[in-house]
């Protein structure tokens, strides 16, 4: 999608530090990490947010969740991690291409918000 930051990361016109890539998904390190390991996992297909998950694209979402344990382990996370997807304005979603944050590598705060 034109003018989508993460579609530009997928097509390589904006650089990223990749953690994992295959034909369906890309994982890359967050530019402003909130934990020692902070990776974003995105579908290569443009989906605006978790609010746009439906029966046509849900197989890609389940595929992402199959790969998250592999991505976390390969990134050196050994003692648990948090998966977050900010969805919409009240959740402060800033990039409108569905992404799952993987946060780990240290004890995280016990509050979610
Ligand atoms: P959210 O606020 O949940 O929409 O998350 C968007 C995330 O994208 C933030 O954690 C940003 O730090 C991250 N981000 C923005 N631009 C880039 C970039 N060029 N490369 C890597 N991460 C980015
Ligand atoms: Zn996009």
């Amino acid at each position: 999608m034109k003018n989508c930051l993460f579609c530009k990361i997928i097509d390589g016109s904006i650089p990223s530090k990749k953690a994992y890539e295959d034909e369906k998904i890309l994982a890359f390190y967050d530019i402003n990490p909130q934990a020692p390991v902070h990776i974003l996992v995105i579908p290569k297909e443009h989906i605006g947010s978790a609010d746009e998950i439906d029966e046509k694209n849900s197989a890609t979402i389940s595929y992402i969740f199959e790969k998250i344990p592999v991505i976390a382990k390969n990134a050196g996370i050994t003692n648990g991690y948090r998966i977050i997807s900010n969805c919409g304005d009240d959740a402060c979603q800033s990039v409108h291409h569905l992404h799952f944050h993987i946060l780990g590598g240290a004890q995280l705060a016990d509050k979610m918000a």
Side-chain angles (χ1 to χ4, degrees):
M1 176 164 292
K2 254 210 305 205
N3 293 326
C4 170
L5 177 68
F6 287 176
C7 283
K8 288 180 182 166
I9 285 179
I10 290 163
D11 74 20
S13 56
I14 291 178
S16 67
K17 186 182 169 202
K18 290 178 187 176
Y20 177 86
E21 182 171 24
D22 65 25
E23 70 283 2
K24 293 192 194 110
I25 70 172
L26 174 65
F28 56 98
Y29 285 85
D30 198 291
I31 204 167
N32 182 25
Q34 305 295 312
V37 181
H38 186 172
I39 291 171
L40 303 173
V41 188
I42 65 175
K44 288 194 169 176
E45 166 192 3
H46 181 90
I47 300 169
S49 77
D51 197 49
E52 293 181 15
I53 296 171
D54 60 21
E55 69 282 356
K56 289 198 284 294
N57 59 32
S58 61
T60 305
I61 309 308
S62 87
Y63 184 76
I64 285 174
F65 276 81
E66 282 175 36
K67 292 298 176 192
I68 281 175
V70 177
I71 293 164
K73 186 179 277 183
N74 288 347
I77 298 175
T78 57
N79 199 37
Y81 51 91
R82 184 168 288 156
I83 302 167
I84 295 173
S85 189
N86 294 317
C87 177
D89 291 343
D90 278 3
C92 304
Q93 182 181 3
S94 63
V95 179
H96 294 273
H97 180 127
L98 175 62
H99 50 283
F100 296 94
H101 299 255
I102 301 175
L103 297 153
Q107 178 66 58
L108 304 175
D110 62 355
K111 295 255 190 310
M112 289 291 290

